Amino acid sequence: MLLLGCIKEVSDYELAISLPNGLLGFVPVTQISDAYSELLTKQVAQGELLEELNSLPDMFSPGTLVRCIVTSIEKSDDGRRSVKLSIDPKKVNKGLNSTALAAGMLLSGSVLSVEDHGYLIDIGVTGTHAFLPHQKAKTYIKAVKKGPDLKIGQNLNCLIVEVKNEGRVVCLSIDRSEVAASIATERQNWALSNLLPGLVVKARVQKVAPLGMKLTFLSYFTGIVDFMHMDPEKSTSYSPDQVVKACVLSVHPTSRAVRLTLRPPFLHAGGAPRQLPSQRMGAVLEEATVKTFYKQFGAVFELDDGTLAFARLKHLSKTRKSFKPGAFKEGCKHKCRIIDYSLMDEMCIVSLKHQVIEARFLQYQDIHTGDVVQGKVLSLKPIGMQVKVADGIRGLVPSLHLSDVILKQPEKKYNIGDEVKCRVLECNPEGKKLILTLKKSLVQSKLPVLSNYEDAKPGLITHGFVVCAREFGCIVKFYNDVKGLVPKNELGSEPISCPDKVFYEGQVLKVMVLKCEPQQERLLLSFRLSSKPGPEDKWKCTPKEKQEVKYQIGEIVDVKILKKKDNGLEVSILEDEDNVAAWIPMLHLSDFVATSKLLWHWLQEGDVLPRVMYLSDKGEHIILSRKSAVISAVREEQVVRSFSEIQPGMLLTGYVRNVMPFGVFVEFPFGVTGLAPKVSMSDKFVTDTKDHFVVGQTVIAKVMSIDEEKQRVLLNLKVSECSSGDSAAESFTLLNQYFKELKEIRDLLRKGEPSICELVPGKKVHLVVQDVREDGSALFSGSSVTGLAVIATRYHLGDKNIAPGEKRKALVLHVDALTSEVYVSLREELVKQRPKRVSMRS
């Protein structure tokens, strides 16, 4: 069966695909394409990583629509079914042959190889060679932000531009505006044997029924739209013979039944469904109103924010016997919990079951490091024990953590089905990784949980476990993989000559923090709990670390970009005979977060960046910064070089190190850090700290108080508290720097994308209408906007009726250099308005 799906999650070994009607399917790493499978096989055979083989997260992003085909339905031991899918073009496009190919067709393709002038694309049609020129891929590559080139195995939504030699050669485009404007027509000779999901068609309503409606399209095709896929704003206004735009959702291989959707995000090819805000997942809603009840399927509810949600029959009551249909009449209100979100239906999935509403954990995101959880033993393996914490949440207890002592035969202590009490050592929701411990010393510990280096303040006493005992001392581990060194002289009150004979792997002990450098992730510990940390404690440096320090914090250098990475730039310091390598984190390219991303996007390998400041040395490499405010603070000596220099009332310039639910950690030059609690973060009421600050953001902080014993600094980030007095001058300086950096970006654009530089707000351009969307907005093209996506919203079309192919004059409103999108207006009062001259009078 062919289906249109939306990528929900991406891992190294599979794609989780949201399917219509709330279903979920999985694409294994071996079902991407033939070329990608060949690279996998080659890598396994050679036993080393191949440069040309990219991981699935490097090629795919959640929210992307893909065509897929069902390969099998597997049944697990607990009776659950798993839908296995493939996005391999040879399987998805198996109904097509070279003679059926026609210009204007939209189909799936996968990158086969990278050539000098473009890409060879596998479209799964025997005897046909498909070529994608670089020019037709530029805007797509910029938009997806997965690197400067397409990668072998990358799945593409391809538009056939030209067919040559009776289908033996085809030329393709993945240009977003061209793909979005494509519509399947009768002239493309689609047949039931090769009809593909994702095609946008013009259809006519044939029959309207309570659970959906029947459409005709492409002259002789008929299809079904179920109640979940009608446009929510028009669901009661459909009538026979009405012409609508629709998108093919699925095609059944034997019955040839076609299902379609009328939901707006699917009505232009290459679109993306709306996402659910992360804070809504798991939310408990006191009153959800019944909109419709379907006795065979479930009920549709209206939630507190006006959106619709669906509850399957089994989630309407605890058991089938306790189910009362009368409680689900239109207008009835019920308490429910959002348990999932169907991207393909753009609808929340809710449950009314009491045990689900009251459940402590619903998803991995609900679990935090240090939480004590109840679980059920699922299996015992050599690597450890698998534990079920909740439906859909499983964790691993490594063999080292099955008990306070190492168990040689854990099956004698634990049985399948046993209830166990564990503590969370590490939780990674993105990778669905949950590591637990059963060590009673850790589970029952009342001491603080050490889960990040910022919390490791000198004098802190907590529990840790030994992972290594050698002649130099012990390595002790805590939560979230935080670890530190207990040197030999801190192992006990008496000298210990052979630590490996006194301490063992997995041993839980109380330790005290002597010193911590969070930026370097270096932690010095002691088993002597009476030890007093002080400034005399020194790091034990290896000969490699005792290198001569060539640069001082605050020193200004010029650098050349060696390599671009997702989170920053690898650079070499110019005029240095040793070619010293350094690192500029992306968010240190500017004081302004948005400008940092723009600069990173347009800077190229080989570019020279002047006046960059030496910020710190992490041991492995030097950290540099281009933050103008931070550089000025260091140059003007408005900094503190150690904790002893800090005084309450000081105004210090720094940058956000970490954003936590309870506040924001701010780091200053020379490594001093402080915490701005939630109540001191903003003049506005703070509900979610992440709505106010992001990691890397430049801030001015006021020192509120210091705790010398615990070496803690409390800060205030409220704008009303952090002004030096001359706020107008401060604002002007910031604004001046902002415009200076914008000019720098414009200079970069002139080298890489000159056409976008000519487009400034207020400029009038001549355009050609490409497509009018279902929501009333329009797409345009033109000689002055080549390679850019040009959009006018319904409001900015004014009262004009436009049609594809028409020429129009428009006014540029906004240019987004990051996404290569240009927003224009056709409204006469703007287009005809003459620019005003502003005179400066002394």
Side-chain angles (χ1 to χ4, degrees):
M1 186 174 185
L2 285 168
L3 296 153
L4 184 66
C6 183
I7 298 175
K8 189 172 184 178
E9 294 171 2
V10 183
S11 68
D12 287 332
Y13 301 107
E14 67 180 9
L15 306 175
I17 308 290
S18 171
L19 299 174
N21 301 111
L23 296 174
L24 191 67
F26 299 91
V27 178
V29 71
T30 54
Q31 290 293 333
I32 303 299
S33 73
D34 283 358
Y36 193 74
S37 295
E38 285 174 15
L39 287 177
L40 286 172
T41 305
K42 185 178 176 183
Q43 179 167 288
V44 171
Q46 292 184 0
E48 58 184 36
L49 296 175
L50 298 178
E51 190 176 339
E52 63 269 32
L53 179 62
N54 291 276
S55 67
L56 296 186
D58 286 338
M59 299 193 296
F60 296 93
S61 300
T64 306
L65 292 176
V66 289
R67 294 179 187 84
C68 40
I69 187 169
V70 178
T71 55
S72 65
I73 297 179
E74 299 176 2
K75 199 170 183 180
S76 61
D77 296 336
D78 58 2
R80 296 191 178 189
R81 293 171 183 249
S82 176
V83 181
K84 298 298 179 184
L85 306 167
S86 174
I87 58 171
D88 187 340
K90 280 189 170 58
K91 294 177 180 175
V92 174
N93 298 336
K94 64 181 180 181
L96 289 168
N97 55 54
S98 56
T99 57
L101 300 177
M105 273 187 165
L106 200 64
L107 71 171
S108 293
S110 177
V111 178
L112 190 61
S113 64
V114 182
E115 307 297 330
D116 290 340
H117 302 290
Y119 306 89
L120 285 180
I121 306 296
D122 177 10
I123 59 171
V125 178
T126 306
T128 298
H129 295 279
F131 182 71
L132 171 64
H134 279 304
Q135 192 63 32
K136 293 292 186 181
K138 275 175 65 177
T139 57
Y140 177 85
I141 291 170
K142 285 177 188 173
V144 297
K145 300 172 189 170
K146 290 291 183 184
D149 293 300
L150 298 177
K151 302 170 178 67
I152 294 174
Q154 198 163 341
N155 192 269
L156 305 170
N157 201 11
C158 304
L159 179 70
I160 297 179
V161 177
E162 188 179 6
V163 179
K164 300 177 182 178
N165 300 335
E166 298 178 337
R168 288 193 289 275
V169 177
V170 294
C171 188
L172 305 173
S173 172
I174 57 170
D175 184 277
R176 303 192 91 187
S177 58
E178 291 181 24
V179 170
S182 66
I183 289 185
T185 64
E186 290 85 347
R187 291 163 63 183
Q188 293 164 12
N189 297 321
W190 291 103
L192 275 172
S193 59
N194 61 25
L195 192 68
L196 291 174
L199 296 179
V200 178
V201 297
K202 288 284 177 70
R204 188 179 295 275
V205 178
Q206 194 177 57
K207 184 182 178 183
V208 180
L211 293 178
M213 59 187 182
K214 193 175 184 181
L215 306 177
T216 60
F217 61 98
L218 295 178
S219 297
Y220 59 89
F221 291 93
T222 59
I224 301 296
V225 179
D226 65 39
F227 66 93
M228 293 178 80
H229 281 276
M230 294 182 182
D231 185 340
E233 295 181 7
K234 302 176 183 177
S235 57
T236 57
S237 62
Y238 292 113
S239 59
D241 284 331
Q242 182 180 347
V243 176
V244 293
K245 210 172 178 183
C247 174
V248 177
L249 273 185
S250 64
V251 183
H252 197 278
T254 51
S255 66
R256 300 299 184 192
V258 180
R259 292 190 173 270
L260 304 104
T261 181
L262 303 181
R263 287 186 164 270
F266 300 96
L267 300 185
H268 56 274
R274 286 183 286 263
Q275 303 266 356
L276 180 72
S278 58
Q279 65 269 23
R280 290 284 282 174
M281 185 65 74
V284 176
L285 309 172
E286 293 298 326
E287 288 189 342
T289 309
V290 177
K291 291 284 288 182
T292 320
F293 173 66
Y294 303 97
K295 61 181 180 181
Q296 294 173 302
F297 306 107
V300 176
F301 294 85
E302 184 176 352
L303 304 184
D304 52 5
D305 59 355
T307 58
L308 298 181
F310 181 71
R312 297 185 179 90
L313 274 177
K314 68 177 183 178
H315 277 283
L316 292 177
S317 61
K318 186 175 182 180
T319 62
R320 285 194 174 187
K321 288 182 180 179
S322 63
F323 177 62
K324 297 175 182 177
F328 295 94
K329 292 178 181 177
E330 187 176 350
C332 291
K333 297 184 184 296
H334 293 272
K335 187 177 181 180
C336 66
R337 188 175 190 180
I338 298 173
I339 59 172
D340 200 359
Y341 181 72
S342 173
L343 286 162
M344 285 303 294
D345 306 311
E346 294 187 307
M347 195 175 280
C348 294
I349 308 298
V350 298
S351 176
L352 278 65
K353 286 186 172 182
H354 177 73
Q355 65 266 38
V356 174
I357 293 172
E358 298 299 321
R360 185 182 172 197
F361 305 120
L362 193 65
Q363 53 182 347
Y364 285 89
Q365 284 84 348
D366 300 331
I367 300 177
H368 302 99
T369 303
D371 282 349
V372 176
V373 301
Q374 289 288 138
K376 185 180 286 187
V377 178
L378 290 178
S379 64
L380 283 164
K381 296 180 180 178
I383 61 167
M385 176 197 293
Q386 193 175 34
V387 175
K388 178 183 176 181
V389 176
D391 284 340
I393 301 178
R394 297 184 178 190
L396 175 72
V397 181
S399 54
L400 184 70
H401 283 274
L402 290 173
S403 173
D404 277 324
V405 295
I406 302 299
L407 296 181
K408 291 184 178 179
Q409 294 178 303
E411 63 277 4
K412 289 188 176 181
K413 182 172 182 177
Y414 300 106
N415 297 305
I416 306 300
D418 282 355
E419 292 284 338
V420 289
K421 191 176 183 180
C422 318
R423 198 162 199 175
V424 178
L425 284 176
E426 187 180 342
C427 184
N428 176 10
E430 289 77 20
K432 293 189 175 180
K433 179 184 175 185
L434 180 63
I435 306 297
L436 307 166
T437 181
L438 283 168
K439 290 180 179 291
K440 278 190 178 179
S441 309
L442 291 175
V443 174
Q444 297 175 358
S445 173
K446 302 297 182 186
L447 294 175
V449 170
L450 184 55
S451 59
N452 61 70
Y453 289 94
E454 282 83 3
D455 291 343
K457 303 300 180 185
L460 175 76
I461 295 175
T462 187
H463 276 118
F465 56 94
V466 177
V467 292
C468 173
R470 296 286 187 272
E471 65 279 356
F472 55 79
C474 290
I475 303 293
V476 176
K477 215 170 186 180
F478 305 94
Y479 298 82
N480 271 352
D481 206 31
V482 172
K483 49 185 175 285
L485 170 68
V486 181
K488 198 170 181 178
N489 62 325
E490 293 291 342
L491 292 176
S493 53
E494 299 295 326
I496 296 175
S497 57
C498 299
D500 56 324
K501 292 183 179 178
V502 177
F503 303 98
Y504 60 88
E505 188 181 10
Q507 185 177 359
V508 177
L509 294 163
K510 280 186 183 179
V511 291
M512 184 173 76
V513 176
L514 294 179
K515 187 176 179 182
C516 182
E517 294 181 4
Q519 208 169 21
Q520 285 78 17
E521 296 187 349
R522 293 167 69 182
L523 183 58
L524 193 67
L525 307 164
S526 175
F527 288 153
R528 296 191 297 153
L529 304 185
S530 57
S531 294
K532 291 186 179 180
E536 68 278 0
D537 291 318
K538 303 293 182 185
W539 292 99
K540 308 295 183 194
C541 295
T542 62
K544 186 179 178 182
E545 291 171 324
K546 291 181 179 178
Q547 295 174 0
E548 180 187 354
V549 178
K550 298 183 69 172
Y551 298 97
Q552 299 297 320
I553 293 175
E555 193 168 338
I556 302 298
V557 294
D558 295 344
V559 299
K560 182 179 181 180
I561 299 172
L562 298 176
K563 192 172 183 181
K564 283 178 73 173
K565 292 193 172 180
D566 288 346
N567 57 343
L569 303 172
E570 280 186 11
V571 299
S572 66
I573 298 175
L574 299 177
E575 299 179 8
D576 190 302
E577 58 190 23
D578 295 330
N579 291 321
V580 173
W583 174 254
I584 307 179
M586 179 169 70
L587 291 172
H588 271 276
L589 287 171
S590 169
D591 284 315
F592 311 98
V593 174
T595 307
S596 294
K597 292 175 181 177
L598 270 172
L599 278 166
W600 180 90
H601 187 76
W602 291 105
L603 283 168
Q604 301 297 323
E605 291 173 7
D607 286 351
V608 173
L609 290 175
R611 297 191 57 74
V612 182
M613 187 184 79
Y614 178 97
L615 187 65
S616 68
D617 186 348
K618 274 197 171 181
E620 290 182 10
H621 44 223
I622 294 166
I623 307 296
L624 306 175
S625 178
R626 285 186 88 237
K627 286 181 176 289
S628 178
V630 175
I631 293 172
S632 295
V634 175
R635 303 287 281 179
E636 295 168 16
E637 291 293 326
Q638 294 177 356
V639 291
V640 290
R641 296 174 183 269
S642 65
F643 184 86
S644 60
E645 295 181 16
I646 302 173
Q647 297 295 327
M650 278 184 166
L651 287 176
L652 300 172
T653 303
Y655 41 90
V656 175
R657 171 76 177 161
N658 207 350
V659 181
M660 305 297 284
F662 52 81
V664 170
F665 286 99
V666 178
E667 184 170 350
F668 304 102
F670 298 95
V672 176
T673 59
L675 171 68
K678 200 172 180 179
V679 293
S680 304
M681 280 174 52
S682 173
D683 290 304
K684 299 177 181 178
F685 180 74
V686 178
T687 304
D688 188 344
T689 53
K690 290 182 180 177
D691 292 339
H692 294 261
F693 291 94
V694 296
V695 173
Q697 183 176 343
T698 304
V699 293
I700 295 174
K702 185 176 184 178
V703 179
M704 299 303 293
S705 64
I706 55 175
D707 185 334
E708 291 186 12
E709 186 179 344
K710 295 182 179 178
Q711 298 264 306
R712 288 179 181 170
V713 184
L714 284 183
L715 305 170
N716 193 326
L717 295 177
K718 292 181 180 180
V719 175
S720 59
E721 298 281 342
C722 296
S723 173
S724 61
D726 193 353
S727 56
E730 289 175 358
S731 300
F732 182 78
T733 303
L734 279 172
L735 200 58
N736 185 46
Q737 181 62 29
Y738 178 70
F739 285 122
K740 185 178 175 182
E741 290 181 7
L742 280 187
K743 183 180 181 300
E744 184 181 0
I745 292 167
R746 192 165 287 279
D747 292 339
L748 287 170
L749 285 172
R750 284 196 177 92
K751 291 194 294 181
E753 190 69 64
S755 62
I756 205 169
C757 295
E758 306 302 322
L759 295 170
V760 292
K763 183 171 182 175
K764 291 168 187 174
V765 290
H766 293 277
L767 304 171
V768 178
V769 181
Q770 283 290 313
D771 183 39
V772 180
R773 294 170 169 172
E774 196 75 12
D775 62 2
S777 63
L779 297 171
F780 298 85
S781 63
S783 57
S784 60
V785 292
T786 306
L788 305 174
V790 184
I791 304 158
T793 61
R794 180 166 60 183
Y795 171 79
H796 279 287
L797 291 177
D799 54 1
K800 296 181 180 180
N801 292 319
I802 61 172
E806 289 182 0
K807 294 181 179 179
R808 294 285 178 172
K809 191 175 183 180
L811 183 90
V812 176
L813 296 174
H814 173 65
V815 180
D816 190 329
L818 200 60
T819 60
S820 297
E821 290 180 336
V822 180
Y823 292 86
V824 299
S825 178
L826 272 64
R827 295 184 72 90
E828 287 192 14
E829 64 266 30
L830 293 176
V831 175
K832 290 186 176 179
Q833 190 178 40
R834 291 187 178 182
K836 295 179 181 178
R837 293 195 174 189
V838 179
S839 60
M840 299 293 289
R841 294 183 181 179
S842 58

